[in-house]
Each structure stands twice: as C-alpha cells, then as structure tokens.
Amino acid sequence: MAISDSLDSSSIGGATTTTTTMSDSDRNLSLRKSQRPAAIRDANDVAELDNSATAVEASTESANSIARNGKMIGNGDNHAAGLDIKFAYRPSVPAHRRIKESPLSSDAIFKQSHAGLFNLCIVVLVAVNSRLIIENLMKYGWLIKTGFWFSSKSLSDWPLLMCCLTLPLFPLSAFLVEKLAQRNCLSDPVVVLLHVIITTAAILYPVFVILRCNSAFLSGVTLMLFACIVWLKLVSYAHTNYDMRALANSADKGDASSSSVNVDCSYDVSFKSLVYFMVAPTLCYQTSYPRTASVRKGWVVRQFVKLIIFTGVMGFIIEQYINPIVRNSQHPLKGNLLYAIERVLKLSVPNLYVWLCMFYCFFHLWLNILAELLRFGDREFYKDWWNAKTVEEYWRMWNMPVHKWMVRHIYFPCLRHGIPKGAALLIAFTVSAIFHELCIAVPCHIFKFWAFIGIMFQVPLVLITNYLQNRFRNSMVGNMIFWCFFCIFGQPMCVLLYYHDLMNRGVKTK
C-alpha cells in the first residue's frame, strides 16, 4: 500500500475541506485536489486508476492506513478524515473499469516478472537434488576415482603431448605461404593448393597419432579439439587473406565495386596479428580486433575459482551418476525397448547437468578469462539459446564463434557461388557433423558414425520445428519441443551408443 504509507499526518493535516453544500462532482474534484500530492507518489498505482477515481481510492487507502496504524489525530484532522471516509469508494463507484487478463493466462504470462516463481524453482531444485545426492551416496558410496581423469595411462600419452606441441608449425607454414604471396612470389592457385595441404595435414596428423597410440579417451578428445580449432583458424586465415588480396588487387585496378564495399582493403601479412589470432577466443581472422583498456586481475581470479568449482561439479556428476547408469544399461538398439527408454530418461537429467556445466565452464568462464587476459573486446560467445523456439535458432545462438565461422566461410560463399540456401545449409551441417564425428570417434577408436548421424538428423528437426513454430505461433510450444529433443532424444542416446560400442570393442580386443 504505497499510497497509504505516504499519507502520513503531514498530508492529512494539510488537507483543506469545505462544509458548504456541493454536488458529488464538486466534492470529488475538491477531494482530488487535496489528495493529489500524496497520490502521485506511487506512479504504478496512479497508472492503474482512471482520472475520475484517483482521489477516491487514494482517500480509501489513507483512511485504511490511519485506522490500521492507530495514529492520534486532532479535532481538525478528525473532520478531514471523516470527510475522506464519508466520500471514499462509494457503492456507486465502479470496481471494474477495464479488460484485464489473469497473471498466468497465455496472453499475460510473459508480460510480467516471475522472479518469485524462479526463486521457488531454485529452492525446489536444490532440495530435490540434495536428496538425490544423499540417496546416491547411501546406496553406492563414494565412487569418484582419479583414474578416470588422471592415470598412469594418461602420463604415458607423450606422443599426443608432442603432437599438441608441434601443432603451431602449421600456422607458421601458413604465414610463410602468405608472406610469399604478398611478395608476388607465388600465384593464387599455388597459394590455394599449399593452404589445402597445410590444413589437411593439420587435421590428419593428430588423427594418425591418436589411432596409432592406445591413449586415454580424455587425452584424445583434448588433442582433437585443439586440432579442430587449429584447422578452423587456418581456413579462416587463408580465406580472409585471399579475399583481402583480391580486394587489394581490385582497388589497384580502379574497380569501383571494391571501394564501395565497407571493408578494409589494406592487405598486410603480419606475424603479430597471426599469433594474436591463434590464441584469441575467435575462429574468424582479421587484422585487428576491438580491445579493452586494461585487464581486471581480481575478476580473472574470481572466474578461475568458478571454473575450478564447476569443473569439480561436472566430474562429480559423471563419476557418481552417469557412469553407474551406463554400466548398468544395455545397448539401446539391441535390448528391451522399455528398458532402453527408462535408461535414456534416467540418464537425461545428469547428462543435462553435465552439459550445462560444460557450457558454462567453457563458453562463459574460460573464453571470458582468455578474452580478459588478451583484452579481447567482442565477448559475444553465445546468445540466449535457452529461449530458442526452433532447432535452427539453437544452432545459431549457442556457439557464436563456430556460427560466425560457418556463416563467413561456408554459408555465404556457397550463396555467392549460386548454391541454393537449402543446399548451403546442408553443407554447413555436413561440415559440423564431420568434426563432431572426428572429436568423438577418433579418441574412442570407433567409427560407427553416431555423432555424424546425430548432427545430420538436425536438418529434418530444423524443418519439423520450423513447421511446428509456424503452425502454433507460440514461443512456449516451440521452446518446449526444443528442450525435449535436446534433453531426451539427443545426447543421452549418443552417450549410451558410444559407451556400449566402446565396451564391446574393449571385450573384443582382449
């Protein structure tokens, strides 16, 4: 009751009244003038009142406040309060003056704050998961072992470490090629051929090393991620320099179309720019980036602490929940259907927690730490993908570095060469599927193409979710469909498939 709280004795005592006979409209006008300074102190309540009823409801609130707080009022104030009560909220005053929706109706649910319900969800989530953690510890005990993360086998993976340390040789080779091209020592076809050889070697060399060595899974995944990042950066470096070289040549020839494009036509091959690009949290090369003024050291320390905590939470969930579930499961495509559905549903929740922790640790904490240390200014590493209404929106928002790379070096080049949009989208998903398969199948030494099929299955899902979104015209329906596909039918199934294929491979090789 913000209006009643503001109507203290100072405002009541200052109100002036008349005892002469007047009409109802005159009384309302006088009362409105006397109460206006107090009523306008709460803009939200004033917005809900009509001009004809503002003073009436304000007077009611004032009278209720006086009666509730039991304040002492003098004779003159008694007369003013009596006049307020006498003319406030009369039976003839309308109680319903506009069309309003219930707060939880579909038309009004997204037009207001739900902070209280959000806090309730957090409390319930903490309570439920605390019970599950206690129940799990009572049933299975402490299952976390250091062997999964660090073992003698991991220490013996020195070929993978040497391979990782030699990956910078490929960017150095690409720089030498571009330097020779800048001095007109190499023709464009030769430059393109050399870049194709360098980028192909940068991805096949780690694959060969991993397949030759019986390395730990985590070591292999780490090396493949580094190799894929180097490959994407090298492609962007070669493609961008090729485009800048073409624009510079067009500018030298006086081509008006090149000067009309809003790009920097200056072609300069700088080793410093390449080194910064290779360590910067981006996959798209350019000669300069937006930079911040300084490094916030205290902020970096806090993010590192968060990174350690959430990494520990992720490891706890994997060891304590996901590993027991997958060990006690059957192959989802070979066993009982109902049992497979039960395992997938049981695995979906801890798998979702791990994925969210991974996303937060890498895309928010680690990339922001790296950007802060390098004073990298553009930190849009992700958008609000959790509000995605379709699968297409999710893929456009959850991984912005890869999305920008795809748009810049795959999708729009395909369109410029006359390829239809649908075919260009299919090519982009194919490239993504190949690298997902490499990052998972190579460390597992299994090529069943589950990851490739899972990514390519996103293409019909894009069409289906786009159709459903256009059919229902409701963002809530589209978002719920996205979460169902994301949490239940996607990642848990891939985890079970790769785990059982990996176990079957281990049995056959013994």
Side-chain angles (χ1 to χ4, degrees):
M1 306 293 287
I3 297 180
S4 63
D5 294 337
S6 65
L7 290 174
D8 292 335
S9 58
S10 59
S11 60
I12 296 296
T16 59
T17 59
T18 58
T19 57
T20 58
T21 303
M22 58 182 70
S23 63
D24 289 341
S25 60
D26 295 335
R27 291 192 185 98
N28 288 337
L29 179 61
S30 175
L31 190 58
R32 189 158 57 245
K33 290 180 178 180
S34 65
Q35 298 297 332
R36 185 177 301 164
I40 64 175
R41 293 177 187 175
D42 193 332
N44 293 328
D45 291 339
V46 171
E48 295 290 331
L49 303 175
D50 289 334
N51 292 332
S52 61
T54 302
V56 175
E57 295 193 7
S59 302
T60 305
E61 299 293 341
S62 175
N64 292 338
S65 178
I66 295 171
R68 182 170 58 251
N69 296 330
K71 294 181 179 180
M72 301 301 296
I73 305 175
N75 292 332
D77 294 339
N78 273 330
H79 181 72
L83 185 63
D84 291 343
I85 296 173
K86 183 177 180 180
F87 295 105
Y89 207 54
R90 299 179 65 87
S92 59
V93 176
H96 308 282
R97 294 183 299 276
R98 67 169 69 177
I99 298 175
K100 296 182 179 180
E101 295 287 344
S102 298
L104 296 180
S105 62
S106 59
D107 294 333
I109 190 171
F110 293 115
K111 297 179 181 179
Q112 56 185 318
S113 173
H114 299 286
L117 292 177
F118 180 73
N119 293 335
L120 174 63
C121 291
I122 293 178
V123 171
V124 172
L125 190 66
V126 171
V128 171
N129 285 278
S130 299
R131 183 193 66 81
L132 292 176
I133 291 174
I134 295 174
E135 180 182 356
N136 181 274
L137 292 175
M138 293 175 60
K139 184 176 181 180
Y140 298 105
W142 188 261
L143 301 177
I144 297 178
K145 300 178 181 178
T146 58
F148 180 80
W149 303 99
F150 303 101
S151 63
S152 57
K153 189 176 181 180
S154 299
L155 296 176
S156 63
D157 290 338
W158 61 268
L160 275 66
L161 178 60
M162 296 303 297
C163 178
C164 187
L165 294 178
T166 55
L167 285 179
L169 294 176
F170 298 101
L172 180 60
S173 302
F175 170 75
L176 295 177
V177 171
E178 286 298 327
K179 204 66 178 178
L180 293 174
Q182 184 186 23
R183 297 177 179 178
N184 296 323
C185 297
L186 299 175
S187 61
D188 280 345
V190 175
V191 171
V192 172
L193 177 61
L194 290 176
H195 278 303
V196 169
I197 295 174
I198 292 171
T199 53
T200 304
I203 196 68
L204 292 182
Y205 170 50
V207 171
F208 175 79
V209 173
I210 294 174
L211 294 180
R212 291 280 295 179
C213 303
N214 190 18
S215 59
F217 174 75
L218 189 60
S219 302
V221 170
T222 303
L223 178 58
M224 281 308 304
L225 287 175
F226 275 114
C228 291
I229 291 173
V230 170
W231 187 90
L232 294 171
K233 285 177 177 283
L234 288 177
V235 170
S236 179
Y237 181 72
H239 197 183
T240 303
N241 280 309
Y242 178 85
D243 190 55
M244 289 192 301
R245 191 163 53 248
L247 290 174
N249 293 334
S250 298
D252 293 339
K253 295 178 181 179
D255 189 357
S257 60
S258 63
S259 59
S260 62
V261 182
N262 187 22
V263 294
D264 185 11
C265 296
S266 59
Y267 174 56
D268 182 30
V269 180
S270 171
F271 184 72
K272 182 179 179 181
S273 299
L274 175 61
V275 172
Y276 184 83
F277 166 63
M278 294 306 298
V279 296
T282 180
L283 299 175
C284 295
Y285 173 73
Q286 55 194 63
T287 55
S288 62
Y289 297 91
R291 306 286 294 273
T292 57
S294 60
V295 177
R296 299 170 292 177
K297 298 179 181 179
W299 184 89
V300 172
V301 172
R302 291 193 297 271
Q303 303 310 306
F304 263 117
V305 173
K306 292 180 183 179
L307 182 62
I308 295 172
I309 293 174
F310 278 93
T311 303
V313 171
M314 186 165 52
F316 174 81
I317 296 174
I318 291 175
E319 287 286 340
Q320 201 72 25
Y321 288 92
I322 294 182
N323 283 347
I325 293 175
V326 295
R327 288 196 191 104
N328 297 327
S329 63
Q330 299 175 357
H331 198 286
L333 301 181
K334 297 179 181 178
N336 183 273
L337 178 60
L338 292 179
Y339 182 80
I341 294 175
E342 187 272 337
R343 289 287 99 179
V344 169
L345 293 176
K346 189 172 183 179
L347 185 61
S348 61
V349 175
N351 185 82
L352 175 63
Y353 289 166
V354 170
W355 194 93
L356 292 177
C357 288
M358 182 276 300
F359 170 81
Y360 184 73
C361 287
F362 183 77
F363 285 95
H364 182 73
L365 294 177
W366 172 246
L367 291 184
N368 273 287
I369 290 172
L370 190 60
E372 186 68 25
L373 293 176
L374 297 173
R375 298 194 295 114
F376 187 81
D378 186 4
R379 304 182 184 184
E380 190 186 42
F381 305 121
Y382 57 91
K383 293 184 179 179
D384 56 336
W385 57 266
W386 45 88
N387 293 325
K389 299 181 287 293
T390 62
V391 174
E392 182 183 7
E393 285 190 8
Y394 163 75
W395 284 106
R396 282 193 281 111
M397 295 190 297
W398 93 275
N399 189 341
M400 292 307 296
V402 172
H403 172 71
K404 292 177 181 178
W405 188 93
M406 286 287 183
V407 170
R408 192 186 195 207
H409 301 291
I410 300 293
Y411 184 74
F412 277 107
C414 289
L415 296 183
R416 284 192 292 270
H417 284 80
I419 299 177
K421 290 185 177 180
L425 182 66
L426 183 62
I427 293 173
F429 270 104
T430 303
V431 173
S432 177
I434 292 174
F435 280 95
H436 277 80
E437 181 68 23
L438 287 175
C439 290
I440 300 177
V442 173
C444 291
H445 298 260
I446 297 175
F447 292 93
K448 293 293 186 71
F449 296 99
W450 297 125
F452 182 87
I453 295 173
I455 298 300
M456 295 307 297
F457 187 66
Q458 304 298 310
V459 177
L461 285 182
V462 167
L463 302 177
I464 293 172
T465 52
N466 285 340
Y467 169 77
L468 293 175
Q469 175 63 22
N470 296 329
R471 176 69 175 81
F472 292 100
R473 297 289 181 180
N474 191 313
S475 59
M476 180 183 294
V477 174
N479 188 250
M480 292 177 64
I481 294 173
F482 154 71
W483 278 114
C484 288
F485 281 116
F486 180 79
C487 299
I488 299 175
F489 300 105
Q491 298 178 15
M493 181 66 72
C494 286
V495 169
L496 289 177
L497 289 172
Y498 272 105
Y499 174 80
H500 285 284
D501 287 339
L502 186 63
M503 292 299 101
N504 293 334
R505 171 184 171 273
V507 171
K508 291 178 182 180
T509 55
K510 289 182 180 179

